[in-house]
Amino acid sequence: VDRRQRQMCIRDRSVALSMVLIIEGVLPFLSPERWRLLAYRMADMDSRSVRIAGLVSMLAGLILLSLLR
């Protein structure tokens, strides 16, 4: 891997991380009460349900990424 490819990879990952941070910040910024309620509900969920929600989120992200690329 040459230097240019390595720089592009780092840039792409940085852009992806930036987008995640932006998306994650939208709900608390627009509706802090709703975000807090969601956090309380997540805290009350059992571990299996949280894992399933995480798995569904990851799969949706992978599918979307594969469609976009």
Side-chain angles (χ1 to χ4, degrees):
V1 178
D2 69 356
R3 183 177 179 182
R4 185 168 185 256
Q5 288 176 327
R6 195 171 35 245
Q7 287 175 340
M8 286 179 61
C9 183
I10 291 170
R11 190 198 70 188
D12 288 347
R13 289 181 186 194
S14 298
V15 168
L17 178 59
S18 299
M19 292 301 297
V20 167
L21 293 172
I22 291 168
I23 292 167
E24 287 287 327
V26 169
L27 187 59
F29 177 76
L30 294 177
S31 182
E33 298 82 17
R34 184 173 284 178
W35 181 83
R36 193 174 293 114
L37 180 61
L38 178 62
Y40 287 140
R41 287 183 182 172
M42 288 286 291
D44 288 338
M45 291 172 66
D46 61 293
S47 294
R48 183 174 185 270
S49 297
V50 174
R51 283 190 179 106
I52 290 171
L55 177 62
V56 169
S57 177
M58 289 187 301
L59 290 175
L62 284 171
I63 291 168
L64 182 60
L65 184 61
S66 68
L67 292 173
L68 294 173
R69 292 228 169 201

